[in-house]
Amino acid sequence: PGRASGSGGGAAAVRRAQASEVAGWGRTPLSLPAREGRAMSTALYVLSTLGGYLLTSALLLKCPGLLHRPKRHRFRCRHISHRGGAGENLENTMGAFRHAVNVGTDMLELDCHLTKDEQVVVSHDENLKRSTGLDVNIADLKYSELPPYLCRLDVTFQKECYCEGEDKRIPLLKEVFEAFPHTPVNIDIKVNNDVLIKKVSELVRQYQREHLTVWGNVSHEIVDKCHKENAHIPILFCLRRVLLLLGLFYTGLLPFFPIPEDFLEIPMPSIILKLKEPEKISRSQRLTIWLTDMLLMRKALFNHLTARGIQVYVWVLNEEHEYKRAFDLGATGVMTDYPTKLKNFLHNYPA
């Protein structure tokens, strides 16, 4: 009896071990039809989810008002004078600004620096070698010590072109505000200087121009400081945010994201080709310019931003076919060195 009992106990142990081994393996493998059915269900779920996302993204790209309230501005600019119109007068001078306003420009674009005695001046270059012939920095001179511009300056965005003018004085920003109280001004803060940003903000407040001014820079740090200093002045996209904007656009995520910026100000990459000698542009450079132009100059992107109340400005265009391409793509406005030429073009181009 004892031996039988031991034999029965051994059989039970074997069965328990087999059961444990089966449990360790998991469930019995599915049959081939069952596995195919599960894979099909998973694929259908993924495809339906992706399809729903794409349809929703396309709908909101076309009709962003369903999710976002459009931004409202006191001005909408089609005609923007770059540095006051650097192809018709010496850049960033009061003479250039007066001429552009008389022509009928919608906005003046200018650049700001700070002098040694903390005066906010209008100048594109920090170093004055190109514009005055003297190798000095604005920050190292008092305003009264600033040299006059040369009688003849190159037009940066027009190959082998120069401009002459009688007004050669570097003006103060407050002079521009006083002379053109109702004209929108686009300010490029050229250096990362807290005092400069604070001074510009104070001037904007003093002349009650927060609704007529936009400011920024390609630098994310400068734009962030501008917004923190005065959140009531609309800001431009910096370079980092432009790259993020493109990433969101091409992944279909842009319609779902809020956008704090009010103005997108971007170059038309293809104009680089006309500024250099053809033999000096390599094949890889041409490909890079072409690809960048294709990615950036997108009608669907411009239309989406415009529908969200974000104005799109393309710079710096100086030929009629460039004006036409920008407006055909849906740009709000064009920045030019030739205010008269752009005015004549807009006279014949439907609004």
Side-chain angles (χ1 to χ4, degrees), residues 130-302:
R130 177 188 70 90
S131 58
T132 71
L134 297 180
D135 188 11
V136 293
N137 292 329
I138 290 177
D140 296 330
L141 300 176
K142 295 180 180 180
Y143 179 64
S144 60
E145 298 171 336
L146 292 179
Y149 284 131
L150 298 172
C151 297
R152 186 171 182 257
L153 295 178
D154 64 301
V155 182
T156 307
F157 292 94
Q158 193 71 7
K159 185 179 176 181
E160 298 180 353
C161 283
Y162 299 88
C163 185
E164 298 179 355
E166 296 181 359
D167 185 359
K168 299 186 289 292
R169 186 176 62 87
I170 298 176
L172 295 165
L173 179 61
K174 68 177 184 180
E175 293 181 76
V176 179
F177 287 171
E178 290 171 355
F180 314 106
H182 306 299
T183 302
V185 174
N186 182 327
I187 302 175
D188 189 348
I189 304 294
K190 298 302 291 185
V191 291
N192 189 358
N193 183 313
D194 294 349
V195 178
L196 172 62
I197 293 170
K198 183 178 179 62
K199 291 281 187 179
V200 171
S201 176
E202 289 174 351
L203 285 170
V204 171
R205 284 198 186 99
Q206 178 183 342
Y207 289 93
Q208 300 179 5
R209 293 186 51 90
E210 289 172 320
H211 64 292
L212 287 174
T213 305
V214 54
W215 61 349
N217 185 267
V218 295
S219 164
H220 175 76
E221 187 176 0
I222 291 178
V223 174
D224 188 54
K225 286 182 178 181
C226 287
H227 189 61
K228 289 179 179 177
E229 178 65 35
N230 192 333
H232 298 292
I233 304 176
I235 56 174
L236 299 161
F237 279 82
C238 64
L239 177 58
R240 183 195 300 182
R241 292 282 297 174
V242 170
L243 296 177
L244 176 61
L245 179 75
L246 291 177
L248 293 174
F249 174 69
Y250 283 104
T251 56
L253 292 169
L254 181 59
F256 304 100
F257 275 73
I259 300 176
E261 292 87 354
D262 299 87
F263 298 84
L264 175 65
E265 189 175 284
I266 53 176
M268 182 180 286
S270 60
I271 69 170
I272 297 173
L273 296 173
K274 76 173 186 179
L275 300 178
K276 295 185 177 182
E277 297 294 338
E279 61 273 12
K280 294 182 179 179
I281 304 177
S282 67
R283 183 175 300 179
S284 61
Q285 289 175 327
R286 288 181 181 276
L287 178 61
T288 300
I289 293 169
W290 175 83
L291 181 60
T292 305
D293 193 90
M294 290 295 293
L295 291 174
L296 202 54
M297 298 288 104
R298 306 302 300 178
K299 187 176 180 64
L301 174 62
F302 291 2

Side-chain angles (χ1 to χ4, degrees), residues 51-85:
Y53 162 72
L54 292 175
L55 287 173
T56 304
S57 177
L59 175 63
L60 293 177
L61 186 69
K62 189 77 173 178
C63 308
L66 296 173
L67 187 61
H68 305 281
R69 179 177 297 178
K71 298 175 184 289
R72 303 293 182 188
H73 298 289
R74 294 281 292 275
F75 57 89
R76 182 180 177 84
C77 302
R78 302 182 77 204
H79 186 299
I80 305 151
S81 295
H82 179 242
R83 305 181 195 173

Side-chain angles (χ1 to χ4, degrees), residues 40-56:
M40 183 66 71
S41 298
T42 302
L44 288 174
Y45 173 77
V46 171
L47 288 175
S48 62
T49 302
L50 180 60
Y53 162 72
L54 292 175
L55 287 173
T56 304

Side-chain angles (χ1 to χ4, degrees), residues 78-90 95-109 155 163 316-319 323 334-347:
R78 302 182 77 204
H79 186 299
I80 305 151
S81 295
H82 179 242
R83 305 181 195 173
E88 297 181 5
N89 282 276
L90 293 182
F97 299 138
R98 289 192 189 95
H99 171 72
V101 171
N102 290 337
V103 165
T105 193
D106 298 321
M107 172 182 278
L108 298 172
E109 188 273 346
V155 182
C163 185
V316 170
L317 311 183
N318 292 325
E319 304 293 345
Y323 302 157
V334 160
M335 192 179 298
T336 186
D337 289 316
Y338 296 92
T340 304
K341 183 186 292 186
L342 179 56
K343 178 189 177 181
N344 293 335
F345 171 83
L346 290 174
H347 181 73

